[in-house]
Amino acid sequence: MDMTLPARDTDLRPRFAALLEQHRGIVLNVARGYCHHPEDRLDLVQEISVQAWAAFEGFDPARARFSTWLYRVALNVAISQWRRQQHRQQHHAPLDDDLPAADEALPPEQRHALHQLEVAIHALPPLDRALMLLHLDDHDHRQIAEVLGISVANVSTRLHRLRQQLRTRLNPTDRGARHATG
């Protein structure tokens, strides 16, 4: 994420740049979760970086870790951008082959499964998408609750429902077997 930060307090700039670089995976994961095309991802990464820099003076390490704070900023920017896009376009475009190829090092069947999961995640509403991205990024329920501003119990309930929903969507033939044993 090479970008020139607007001039302000010169003491904050190196600290912010180092923290942002250290936690760049957060920004990249959120951008991947909310944008289909590489150009849109780059735009979102830049917008998240600019908004994080604009809000950095208000960051208080006593209240939250930088990673938690950055997740909040990134998700808020991504969700706001997504809502603006939804408002502009009346109809949702299908995501079939618009997504770039998944990791080429994976075998074809794993690439296909990863692609299907990405399509399913992209179809989720903004809060559920954020929840699933944080979960897939190995955050525990407490951390997810902190980032999203919801209770741990709500995280647990929503994740359970989301997993069921994704399982059904990704394995439609498995539906009958689950209900029969359920």
Side-chain angles (χ1 to χ4, degrees), residues 139-182:
H139 291 279
D140 63 34
H141 291 194
R142 183 191 53 76
Q143 292 168 322
I144 295 171
E146 188 179 334
V147 169
L148 297 179
I150 60 178
S151 71
V152 173
N154 195 346
V155 168
S156 195
T157 300
R158 283 176 169 270
L159 272 176
H160 177 73
R161 289 179 184 155
L162 279 171
R163 281 191 217 105
Q164 285 180 322
Q165 184 181 359
L166 289 173
R167 226 180 264 122
T168 300
R169 181 169 181 175
L170 296 173
N171 300 310
T173 57
D174 199 28
R175 180 185 291 182
R178 290 208 184 277
H179 289 293
T181 61

Side-chain angles (χ1 to χ4, degrees), residues 15-61:
R15 181 171 160 235
F16 174 78
L19 284 168
L20 186 62
E21 183 58 33
Q22 180 183 355
H23 298 282
R24 72 189 305 252
I26 291 170
V27 176
L28 296 173
N29 285 341
V30 169
R32 182 172 178 86
Y34 281 84
C35 296
H36 314 307
H37 302 287
E39 301 84 20
D40 295 336
R41 286 186 193 139
L42 289 174
D43 288 346
L44 182 56
V45 164
Q46 185 171 4
E47 183 63 21
I48 291 168
S49 301
V50 167
Q51 293 301 321
W53 170 243
F56 188 62
E57 281 184 310
F59 167 64
D60 180 2

